Amino acid sequence: MDFQPILDDIAATLAADRGLHGQVASYIPALARIDARHFGLALTTTEGQSAVAGDGALPFSIQSISKVFTLTLAMQQLGEDLWARIGREPSGDPFNSLVQLEHEQGKPRNPFINAGAIAVADRLVSVFGHRAKAELLALMGGLAGEPIAFDEEVAASEAQTGFRNLALANFMKSFGKLDNPVDAVLDLYFHQCALRMSCVQLARAASYLCRDGAGICTERQTRRINALMLTCGTYDAAGEFAFRIGLPCKSGVGGGIVAVMPDRLTLAVWSPALDATGNSALGMRALELFVARTGLSVF
Ligand code: DON
């Protein structure tokens, strides 16, 4: 299959809709001023084909897509021990919800809601200490094949306004479920969210997920990460994503979404305006068009 014409066609089909659906995330001030009309997509296949369209080469804030990569790093380092502190069930709640943490004694439902990613960050600070951010950058640079950096302005903006994340971290700490100081854990968490990458870089970086781990993690771990992306990667819209798209996906409030077709390809889309569940509105439409035109699905 030649994917370039398909991506071009999706970009052309959605061109008139850019910026019309949803809202750019405003609770992180440094993200609020991004132009809602951006739209890009890129893919890379297991056979070495790549394709890019629209703003696919422009870097943006990957936000919660980083949760896939920190989970990968934690699974590499901790294996099964990781799951003592983090569950594997969809939450059915918004990504920044506090309610379930109280009922379940500070154990987050899954590693992709904010509480779960903060718990993963705590584990990484335990393993790597003050080198944790550098280890994450090294992983990302290795996966993307070129240096990847944090957007320090976005990280600072999140630190100044991350009242909910502070609440989540302090709440878990009160249950004895974080080992490290809240400040150190959130410093890693805010920086991982502030990684700047393009769709091209993201599709390439995630490609171990469609290649049985490709030496980054084991085949079994890769299957598990994909299963978590399908069930939890888009929060309370995960059922809708499975229904309409049928691929493991991970979204971020920067408007990016990474999708995986095991043994075939990884696809990244970006459009900053979000729907009510915090997922890119046009990004989701682009993924729907892609699966309709290619017939690809894990089902
Ligand atoms: O912690 C936050 O709220 C943001 N840095 C990341 C949230 C996010 O991307 C959730 N995704 N849809």
Side-chain angles (χ1 to χ4, degrees), residues 28 55 217 229 232:
I28 301 168
D55 296 326
C217 50
M229 288 172 71
C232 315

Side-chain angles (χ1 to χ4, degrees), residues 27-28 62-65 67 95-96 114 158 165 189-190 193 235 250-254 277-279:
Y27 72 101
I28 301 168
I62 75 166
Q63 292 293 317
S64 287
I65 299 172
K67 293 170 183 170
F95 60 83
N96 54 7
N114 286 11
E158 292 214 40
N165 288 320
Y189 175 76
F190 290 140
C193 292
Y235 316 105
K250 184 75 204 78
S251 61
V253 294
T277 60
N279 297 297

Side-chain angles (χ1 to χ4, degrees), residues 157-179:
S157 185
E158 292 214 40
Q160 276 157 21
T161 57
F163 305 113
R164 261 182 185 263
N165 288 320
L166 264 161
L168 289 166
N170 279 300
F171 205 34
M172 285 190 282
K173 187 83 178 167
S174 78
F175 283 108
K177 297 286 168 61
L178 292 186
D179 292 336

